[in-house]
Amino acid sequence: NAVLKAYQDSWPRDVVRVHICSPLDFHAQTMNWDCGYRNMQSMLSSYLNHDSVVRDQLFSQGIITIPTLKELQTIIETAWKKGYDRIGGMQLEYSLYNTTKWIGATEVVAMLRSCKIRACVADFDFTSGLCDLNTMIQVIWEYFSCRCNTKRSDSIAYTTSFIVPLYLQHQGHSRLILGAEKWVSGEIKLLILDPQKERESDEDILN
């Protein structure tokens, strides 16, 4: 994974621990509405690059290579027909193919579940007062840290098991969370892959 390798080579000394997901391929956003599709392609590349039961599930559904944008639209429509995320399907009139409609986390989860892959949506509502940004960051840190505990090298924590990146949906855009880093101060920062961000080098696309 060139992006993570470039980041690894430039880690600041104040970082004491880094947890990262399994390797994936970067799919860049090409239109102002296709970030969800590109993130889904990047996520699927992570599944397909790893020899696991999850990859076998995708193979059994006919997903052997990364689907095109229109193929993803068809897969999501098929998921709706199977009964996954009917509310979301109704909101989009059960029609995505050959349209410029945006998709979000619920469509990604519907697609994965229709392929028999475990997936869920975690909703962090900052306006309710029940949680804040720090709560979300701590949950994400625990997601990666509890899976990266089998092999360590310096400040990097690796695992031989598969760790999928997290799909981050917010108003008007979506990105992927590749991992998290803890600084000597105790502060936790997220490693976020933005499909929209232009870059001159691999490390530039990590926020």
Side-chain angles (χ1 to χ4, degrees):
N1 191 320
V3 174
L4 291 176
K5 179 62 169 63
Y7 177 72
Q8 175 183 346
D9 293 340
S10 63
W11 275 333
R13 295 181 180 179
D14 288 344
V15 172
V16 296
R17 182 66 61 199
V18 178
H19 299 303
I20 56 177
C21 68
S22 298
L24 53 76
D25 301 322
F26 175 64
H27 290 262
Q29 186 171 348
T30 58
M31 293 164 281
N32 64 1
W33 54 269
D34 69 347
C35 57
Y37 295 103
R38 301 311 176 189
N39 285 323
M40 186 183 292
Q41 288 175 325
S42 295
M43 289 186 71
L44 287 174
S45 76
S46 186
Y47 287 118
L48 293 173
N49 286 339
H50 188 78
D51 185 8
S52 66
V53 174
V54 175
R55 187 175 71 172
D56 293 341
Q57 293 282 12
L58 291 173
F59 284 177
S60 69
Q61 301 296 317
I63 302 176
I64 300 175
T65 59
I66 302 299
T68 65
L69 189 151
K70 289 186 177 181
E71 288 172 342
L72 287 175
Q73 291 177 326
T74 300
I75 294 171
I76 295 172
E77 289 181 351
T78 301
W80 288 335
K81 293 177 182 177
K82 293 179 179 179
Y84 295 94
D85 189 26
R86 291 179 178 176
I87 296 177
M90 290 177 60
Q91 291 174 344
L92 294 173
E93 300 177 329
Y94 293 100
S95 176
L96 280 179
Y97 185 76
N98 211 27
T99 72
T100 60
K101 295 178 181 178
W102 293 45
I103 63 168
T106 55
E107 286 74 39
V108 173
V109 168
M111 179 268 183
L112 293 175
R113 286 180 173 175
S114 71
C115 295
K116 310 304 180 186
I117 297 173
R118 292 178 60 187
C120 68
V121 174
D123 185 8
F124 296 89
D125 183 2
F126 300 151
T127 64
S128 66
L130 298 178
C131 70
D132 56 16
L133 181 61
N134 290 331
T135 302
M136 185 187 78
I137 290 176
Q138 188 60 44
V139 169
I140 294 170
W141 172 261
E142 292 175 1
Y143 167 83
F144 286 105
S145 63
C146 72
R147 290 164 173 79
C148 291
N149 57 5
T150 59
K151 181 180 178 181
R152 297 187 182 278
S153 174
D154 298 326
S155 63
I156 319 163
Y158 299 95
T159 180
T160 56
S161 60
F162 175 74
I163 303 177
V164 68
L166 297 177
Y167 184 101
L168 175 65
Q169 179 72 50
H170 51 87
Q171 185 65 36
H173 194 41
S174 63
R175 296 177 283 179
L176 291 183
I177 302 175
L178 302 188
E181 59 185 19
K182 180 172 286 188
W183 290 58
V184 67
S185 64
E187 181 182 9
I188 297 173
K189 295 184 179 181
L190 305 180
L191 305 179
I192 296 179
L193 184 67
D194 191 337
Q196 189 180 45
K197 189 171 183 180
E198 297 181 0
R199 75 186 194 275
E200 296 180 355
S201 59
D202 287 318
E203 59 267 31
D204 287 340
I205 63 175
L206 277 175
N207 289 349

